[in-house]
């Protein structure tokens, strides 16, 4: 799984020049084999602005969007999806110390930063998120 995520993140960052939220959505959809509608991907373009504002991390934003999409596809009740999104945010913050792009981004924001500075963080975050989502799915589908 690690190599799959690493390869996908690199491709979406460098070949497609996507932001972290869009990249996260793409990688999660590929991993869990869920087709994303074009409007979902279009909406994730705007999340780059939030990152540029140094607000919520796109890895978190993209994952939260994906949890809703996956939960609906698996016919998981809304209440369970909402509860897991809350738990996910808590787990992510515990693992990575923050949900904020300003805090998580290596070297912060500087005009001389190289592109895709968060590639390593994105890989680690998505791997972590896949494990959390997989665990949630296994429990939710059994119920």
């Amino acid at each position: 799984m690690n190599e799959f995520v690493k390869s996908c993140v690199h491709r979406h960052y460098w070949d497609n020049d996507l932001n972290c939220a869009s990249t996260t959505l793409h990688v999660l959809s590929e991993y869990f084999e869920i087709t994303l509608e074009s409007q979902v991907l279009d909406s994730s373009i705007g999340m780059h602005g939030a990152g540029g504002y140094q607000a919520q991390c796109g890895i978190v934003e993209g994952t939260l969007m994906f949890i809703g999409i996956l939960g609906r596809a698996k016919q998981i009740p809304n209440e369970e999806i909402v509860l897991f999104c809350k738990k996910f945010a808590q787990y992510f913050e515990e693992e990575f110390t923050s949900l904020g792009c300003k805090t998580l981004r290596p070297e912060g924001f500087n005009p001389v930063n190289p592109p895709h500075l968060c590639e390593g963080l994105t890989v680690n975050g998505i791997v972590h998120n896949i494990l959390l989502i997989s665990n949630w799915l296994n429990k939710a589908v059994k119920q």
Side-chain angles (χ1 to χ4, degrees):
M1 173 193 22
N2 289 8
E3 285 306 311
F4 169 81
V5 172
K6 186 176 180 179
S7 172
C8 288
V9 168
H10 187 80
R11 175 172 36 91
H12 288 298
Y13 272 172
W14 295 98
D15 295 348
N16 303 325
D17 198 28
L18 296 181
N19 64 44
C20 51
S22 297
T23 296
T24 299
L25 278 166
H26 276 283
V27 176
L28 292 174
S29 72
E30 291 171 40
Y31 185 83
F32 288 100
E33 298 178 345
I34 296 288
T35 302
L36 298 177
E37 299 294 329
S38 63
Q39 286 182 318
V40 171
L41 297 170
D42 293 344
S43 72
S44 68
I45 294 168
M47 292 183 198
H48 190 66
Y53 185 70
Q54 304 174 34
Q56 184 166 284
C57 171
I59 303 163
V60 173
E61 292 173 327
T63 302
L64 288 169
M65 289 178 67
F66 185 77
I67 290 167
I69 294 165
L70 181 65
R72 177 67 69 233
K74 300 294 183 180
Q75 300 178 333
I76 296 171
N78 289 352
E79 299 79 28
E80 289 184 45
I81 295 169
V82 170
L83 181 61
F84 179 65
C85 283
K86 183 178 178 181
K87 288 180 181 178
F88 161 76
Q90 178 186 351
Y91 295 149
F92 189 93
E93 187 173 43
E94 287 171 1
E95 180 69 22
F96 295 98
T97 71
S98 178
L99 301 175
C101 187
K102 181 178 185 177
T103 305
L104 295 170
R105 184 174 162 87
E107 301 177 31
F109 286 84
N110 188 319
V112 297
N113 287 140
H116 309 301
L117 189 58
C118 289
E119 187 169 0
L121 174 63
T122 304
V123 169
N124 292 338
I126 292 174
V127 167
H128 176 261
N129 298 349
I130 285 173
L131 295 172
L132 290 174
I133 293 168
S134 295
N135 188 36
W136 170 66
L137 256 186
N138 287 336
K139 290 178 182 176
V141 171
K142 286 181 184 177
Q143 293 179 353

